[in-house]
Structure formats: C-alpha cells, structure tokens
Amino acid sequence: MSTYTVVSLPGDGIGPEITEVAEAVLDRAASAVGGLTVNVDTHDAGALRWQRTGEAMSEATFDACGAADAILMGAIGLPEARHPDGREVNGDVIFRLRFALDLYAGIRPVRSLPGVRPTLAADDPIDYVVVRENVEGLYASRTGGTNVRGEVATDTIVITDTGTRKVSQVAFGLAAGRGGRPLDGRRMVTCVDKANVLSSYAFFRSVFDDVAKGHPEIGADHVYVDAMTAFQVQRPSHFDVVVAENMFGDIISDLAAATVGGLGLAASGDVGDEHGMFQPAHGSAPDIAGRNKANPTAMVLSTAMMLDWLGRRHGDERAIRAAGLIDDAVLAVLADGGSVTADLGGEATCSAMGEAIVGAIGA
C-alpha cells in the first residue's frame, strides 16, 4: 500500500473547475492501479482570498504545503488584485512557495499531441523539456528591487554557482532518461543564455559547461535566447532538454506551449530536493471562469507529472503506473476529438472532457 497527502490549492478563476477535474482523474487512476491512496487536503489561497482578508495565503496553509508529499495548484491570480507597486498578488503564493521550499527546477515538457491542430507550418515532431531555474535569475529581485522617486526602477539578476549547477544537473538527469531529440535520437541538453552580452549569463554558461563535463554520454550545446525563439518555431525537432535562467525559461516555455496548441495543454512541475508543486502553465482566465469552458488538459497532465515524481522519489511503481494511465487517457481523448473543449475545436465542457478522461483510464 502507498499513501500520500497532497495539498490542493484550487485558487482563482478557472482554477476550481480544472482542479475538480484533476482530483476526479487522480481518484480514478489511484483506484485503477490498486493499493494507492492519495489524500487531498484542500486549502484556500489566492487573489480572492487576498481581496477578502488582505492575505493571499495563511501561515497554516503554508505549513501544510511544507508538510505535504506534494502540492497541486489550480490557478492563482486575478488582474485586478495587485499590490500598490503594480505587482499581482499571485506571487504571494507561487513565488513564496518556490523560494521558501527551494523548488529550484521548473520542469515544463512540450510535445506534439494527437488530434491537436498544428500551430507551426512545418510538420517537425516536437518533444522536448524546458528546465527553468526557478529561484534565482531576474526574479530573485522580486520585492527587493529599487524604485527611486518613481523615476528610476532597478532589479538585479542573481546567478550563483550552486543554483546553476543544481538546475543543470536536473537537466542532464532528465536527458539521461529520455529517448533523445526527435531529429536523430541524440540525447542533448541545450543551454539558453545571453552570454555574448551579459557577464551574468556568461557565468551561467560556464557553470553549465562544467556540469556537462560530468555527462560525456550526453551532448551539450548553447543557443542565445533571441535565436532560441526563432529555432523553437523553425526547427523544434533539434531540442531534447533545454535549460535556462528564470526569466528566459519563463518566456521560452510559454512559446514552446504555443507551438503545440497553447497553454491549455501545458503541464508544469516546480521541484526541489524535498518538495514538489505541480500546476498548469496557464493563468486563471477570469473571462471564462464559472462557465465550464476551460480546457482541463494542462491541469490533468500536471497531476500525472505529480504522480510520476512521487513514484520516482519513493520508488513506488504504483504511482508511476497511475501517472501513465492518466497520460494514456488524455492522449486517447485528444486523439478521438469528440470530447474536447472549444479551444481545441470541440464543443465539450470542462466537466465533460474531464469525464471522458476519467472514463478512458484503464479502458
């Protein structure tokens, strides 16, 4: 028997709707493999809570997140919920958890999916992972930048040997367990930076290169971030695993999602040595909140990532099998096309697509 406790943070906008689907899928997958129990502990956190109470996340919720086996987050934030300096309050939850729990690696897989209309004119197969350094880079200045008389504002990029080394090791570890890039099956880690202009990125590259020496069986190369955005569109099959500083990783991972059908399909995990948080890469989409129109795919695939991470962390084949069942079910529903939401060209509601995925698990 395997038992885990997962803190669920449904959040704002479409968050509660897609989280409800994810929890139903999680329950079905656990039952299908047998001997696996996932207890979901739901907490209120996010912009709505901040608007009501002045606090986006209570200390009790933060403590529960730290004590849980994993965190499953729906969507946090609303455009009108902002601090006086203009920052959205979603950082009070997302960034606090990332930094306080040292979730230093943002893992964002992207792949061509069956039944999803291609975005790019080229038909190159897409299957790579963006690994984003999550707790340093430009975002390390969050709340710590300066604003002088409303005339000059500065934020400082922070790159450390330790942080860069850790996230690079994660990237090479992922590459070792994958089948290589679609182009030729070669295992490859690509460092994305701006080393030709800024010394901080030159340092990031030098640490990456040092880590690469310890993995001679895996190729290593470098791409400047501006060229990377072009290559993601023109030759995505050249990439296997990509590693980048926080800001660059944020940007190129969203572009990656757009090339395979949009953020509604983009799963993500923020992981560290002791903790993991899993959430869709998209936002709270308040324009469609409460209308049962959201695409739950990214949330469901993030749930599969969570189970796979738990399984590998604890040597638990049941959790890994449950993750595979969810992934297979999502692919089957997408390929069929009859139960997909409007953003994918279908007419199904969020809940109906969720029911289809649940029905496909173990079918």
Side-chain angles (χ1 to χ4, degrees):
M1 294 291 293
S2 305
T3 302
Y4 301 101
T5 296
V6 170
V7 166
S8 173
L9 304 176
D12 306 304
I14 61 172
E17 301 165 55
I18 59 175
T19 301
E20 183 177 357
V21 169
E23 291 178 7
V25 169
L26 178 61
D27 184 63
R28 170 58 186 149
S31 297
V33 299
L36 175 63
T37 300
V38 182
N39 298 314
V40 177
D41 180 19
T42 301
H43 285 253
D44 179 26
L48 285 175
R49 188 183 194 283
W50 181 82
Q51 288 175 327
R52 292 195 317 270
T53 69
E55 183 181 52
M57 179 171 59
S58 70
E59 290 303 311
T61 293
F62 175 77
D63 290 343
C65 289
D69 294 298
I71 305 162
L72 188 62
M73 182 182 293
I76 302 290
L78 295 171
E80 67 274 15
R82 296 177 181 269
H83 291 291
D85 62 4
R87 291 176 298 109
E88 287 193 40
V89 302
N90 57 355
D92 296 6
V93 180
I94 298 171
F95 287 118
R96 183 182 180 191
L97 290 170
R98 282 179 183 166
F99 282 76
L101 300 181
D102 196 25
L103 307 177
Y104 60 83
I107 301 174
R108 301 194 174 192
V110 57
R111 57 181 167 164
S112 303
L113 293 166
V116 178
R117 292 171 297 189
T119 302
L120 303 179
D123 60 358
D124 281 11
I126 300 172
D127 185 359
Y128 62 96
V129 181
V130 176
V131 182
R132 167 187 175 185
E133 200 296 314
N134 246 357
V135 297
E136 296 185 353
L138 192 58
Y139 289 177
S141 284
R142 189 188 70 86
T143 75
T146 60
N147 188 316
V148 181
R149 295 186 302 273
E151 297 175 349
V152 177
T154 65
D155 292 302
T156 303
I157 193 168
V158 176
I159 304 290
T160 72
D161 181 285
T162 298
T164 307
R165 193 170 298 276
K166 286 166 66 175
V167 78
S168 296
Q169 290 285 15
V170 168
F172 280 97
L174 286 171
R178 286 171 47 84
R181 60 185 184 180
L183 177 68
D184 54 13
R186 185 184 181 194
R187 289 183 172 89
M188 174 74 70
V189 179
T190 301
C191 176
V192 175
D193 56 47
K194 198 63 178 171
N196 58 329
V197 176
L198 297 172
S199 60
S200 55
Y201 289 109
F203 180 65
F204 188 98
R205 177 180 290 202
S206 70
V207 176
F208 167 84
D209 287 344
D210 191 50
V211 173
K213 293 175 184 176
H215 301 272
E217 74 286 1
I218 299 172
D221 66 352
H222 316 92
V223 176
Y224 297 136
V225 67
D226 44 347
M228 182 65 185
T229 60
F231 294 157
Q232 286 179 274
V233 173
Q234 295 174 333
R235 57 180 210 189
S237 63
H238 285 65
F239 300 108
D240 179 18
V241 178
V242 175
V243 64
E245 172 270 335
N246 209 336
M247 173 67 84
F248 287 172
D250 191 3
I251 294 168
I252 64 175
S253 61
D254 278 11
L255 175 57
T259 64
V260 295
L263 289 173
L265 302 168
S268 76
D270 296 336
V271 304
D273 295 332
E274 301 295 333
H275 303 279
M277 178 170 69
F278 301 84
Q279 63 183 118
H282 59 68
S284 62
D287 56 322
I288 60 170
R291 298 167 62 186
N292 203 16
K293 295 177 65 175
N295 181 354
T297 303
M299 183 67 179
V300 172
L301 291 176
S302 298
T303 304
M305 286 184 69
M306 179 186 73
L307 284 170
D308 187 76
W309 178 79
L310 284 169
R312 295 182 189 282
R313 175 173 166 76
H314 296 282
D316 183 357
E317 289 297 324
R318 292 186 182 90
I320 294 172
R321 288 205 312 273
L325 288 176
I326 294 174
D327 195 70
D328 290 345
V330 169
L331 296 182
V333 170
L334 291 175
D336 177 72
S339 300
V340 298
T341 47
D343 60 314
L344 300 179
E347 298 180 353
T349 62
C350 175
S351 57
M353 187 171 181
E355 290 166 5
I357 295 171
V358 168
I361 292 176

